[in-house]
Amino acid sequence: MITLRVIVDQMVAPVPGGVGRYTEELTRALIATAPAECNVEGIVSSSPPAQYELIEAALPGLANLHKTTLARRELAAAWALGVTASSGTGLIHAPGLLAPLRRHNRAEDGTQIAVTLHDVLAWTHPSSLTPATVAWTKGMLKRARKHADAIVVPSHAVARQLTEIMDLGDRVRVIGGAVGRGLMLPAIPLVEERLQALGLPSQYILTSGSLDPRKAVTALITALGLPGAPDLPLIVLGPDTWGELDLASVADEAGLTPGRVRALSGLSDSDLAVVIARASVFVYPSLEEGFALPIIEAFLLGTPVVHSDAPALVEAAGDAGVAVERSNGKDYPARLVEAVNRVLGDSVLRNRMSIFGGDRARAFSWRDSAERVWQLHADL
């Protein structure tokens, strides 16, 4: 029996975030696609029993859950220093950089270690992260350069950026993610009920992100205050504040009426599906991403998409969205308005984008991602 052990610790992190969801979806798919005579086990830091139960309930079919003797913070520190005695040997797949990276010999004990780097923000936009996260990320990638057998990235855009940061030879593999299995619309009567409960208008522009400058939500809000901009409310999937900034103040500076910009966060998967599906247009102005999951979610639910020309977004969208040039940031809001007006004013274009977007969304699946991970380890 061949066992692939996955680091599932991010699932029970204080803030699981996108990597936590990625870990759960990928591990479930790895279990579902395991070849004959193969199984999947998990590795997790020392945690309360309730968290072990959460992982086991979320990952039916997991053959075993290895609990380390160290809690999460201590485990991350130990692995960053190369203290990896509790990790054992064999095939290890890390959905992040948290991994027992150490010197090993594949030929002698069959140990393989693959890690995942979701973006290169620690190098390109360090202000989007905490100083501790930046330092830890850079340190772990250096360990990966020494000891990882493969480094998985979510897009060719990240792979290209990575070559400019560090020489990893031929070990980089591009394996993208997909939409979570829970992102499905409820029955039609419930859709209307949820729209009312969430207080959503009949028409609105939707975006995703925080006021972190990299996300360029401020540029979109500024755009809505320009002459000729559509007179529609903006719903922001994300927090209301970032540092000392808040959406109400940014909207006021843009000349928008109070309440026209509103944040929604903490939504269930079904409510998120409703909010995305009923939007007039989804605008993703982010200046840089490693992957384009919000765009793919909008495509899946038939919502037309306007996005920046950030390489990872263009790569994921193909020709299914309308790309807006980021260069010369002073004019970026005006270009966003032009693209949004073009989509809102052309029903034929919107219908075509809905069809193309649905086709594009189907190009991403967790089953395909998992099969490629299995193949990666078979090829090492």
Side-chain angles (χ1 to χ4, degrees):
M1 179 69 72
I2 297 174
T3 297
L4 177 65
R5 291 188 295 158
V6 182
I7 311 296
V8 297
D9 199 68
Q10 189 64 28
M11 290 176 59
V12 291
V15 181
V19 177
R21 293 189 295 273
Y22 173 92
T23 300
E24 179 178 343
E25 295 288 353
L26 178 63
T27 308
R28 285 177 66 97
L30 287 169
I31 294 169
T33 60
E37 301 302 317
C38 296
N39 63 16
V40 179
E41 297 180 350
I43 299 176
V44 65
S45 61
S46 179
S47 308
Q51 293 189 320
Y52 298 145
E53 293 171 4
L54 183 153
I55 291 173
E56 291 168 341
L59 302 175
L62 192 69
N64 192 20
L65 184 61
H66 295 271
K67 297 105 172 175
T68 71
T69 58
L70 297 176
R72 177 177 175 79
R73 177 180 290 184
E74 289 75 17
L75 182 67
W79 283 358
L81 294 172
V83 181
T84 60
S86 63
S87 60
T89 60
L91 278 60
I92 298 174
H93 191 86
L97 286 176
L98 179 65
L101 291 162
R102 66 189 187 278
R103 181 178 298 175
H104 60 280
N105 189 316
R106 281 181 287 171
E108 290 182 1
D109 60 15
T111 296
Q112 298 175 3
I113 306 175
V115 300
T116 306
L117 180 69
H118 293 275
D119 55 57
V120 293
L121 297 179
W123 292 266
T124 62
H125 291 78
S127 62
S128 293
L129 309 171
T130 66
T133 297
V134 170
W136 185 86
T137 301
K138 290 183 175 182
M140 290 304 289
L141 187 62
K142 288 180 180 178
R143 290 199 62 80
R145 178 178 58 185
K146 293 181 180 179
H147 303 301
D149 298 291
I151 297 91
V152 174
V153 295
S155 62
H156 292 281
V158 173
R160 287 191 295 271
Q161 289 176 306
L162 194 51
T163 62
E164 300 174 359
I165 294 168
M166 189 175 293
D167 182 7
L168 296 167
D170 61 355
R171 290 178 291 165
V172 178
R173 303 288 189 277
V174 178
I175 302 177
V179 175
R181 67 192 183 283
L183 193 73
M184 296 184 295
L185 284 170
I188 294 299
L190 285 178
V191 170
E192 300 303 326
E193 178 182 311
R194 294 311 303 158
L195 284 170
Q196 292 184 14
L198 293 167
L200 292 173
S202 58
Q203 291 183 299
Y204 54 91
I205 297 168
L206 183 67
T207 191
S208 177
S210 69
L211 288 171
D212 175 353
R214 174 181 62 88
K215 289 291 188 178
V217 171
T218 298
L220 177 58
I221 294 173
T222 300
L224 295 179
L226 296 177
D231 187 19
L232 291 178
L234 174 66
I235 304 298
V236 180
L237 296 172
D240 185 63
T241 61
W242 188 80
E244 297 181 355
L245 295 176
D246 63 81
L247 287 174
S249 297
V250 174
D252 180 65
E253 290 177 2
L256 304 184
T257 57
R260 187 172 164 191
V261 179
R262 174 186 161 203
L264 281 178
S265 60
L267 298 175
S268 66
D269 285 344
S270 60
D271 276 356
L272 178 60
V274 168
V275 173
I276 295 173
R278 286 303 181 93
S280 302
V281 60
F282 178 76
V283 184
Y284 201 49
S286 182
L287 303 179
E288 184 176 327
E289 297 291 333
F291 190 58
L293 182 58
I295 286 177
I296 299 168
E297 290 174 337
F299 285 160
L300 181 68
L301 293 164
T303 303
V305 173
V306 171
H307 59 86
S308 80
D309 64 349
L313 305 188
V314 173
E315 179 181 331
D319 295 325
V322 174
V324 179
E325 183 184 354
R326 296 163 297 160
S327 63
N328 189 1
K330 186 187 302 184
D331 297 330
Y332 189 36
R335 290 195 294 271
L336 285 171
V337 165
E338 181 181 356
V340 170
N341 279 336
R342 177 185 166 200
V343 172
L344 292 177
D346 190 336
S347 60
V348 174
L349 174 62
R350 289 198 305 275
N351 290 335
R352 186 166 68 245
M353 291 176 71
S354 179
I355 294 170
F356 288 171
D359 290 341
R360 188 61 180 162
R362 286 186 285 275
F364 300 87
S365 76
W366 284 112
R367 183 177 188 85
D368 177 66
S369 299
E371 289 176 345
R372 293 170 69 185
V373 168
W374 280 112
Q375 189 61 53
L376 178 159
H377 285 280
D379 291 342
L380 288 177

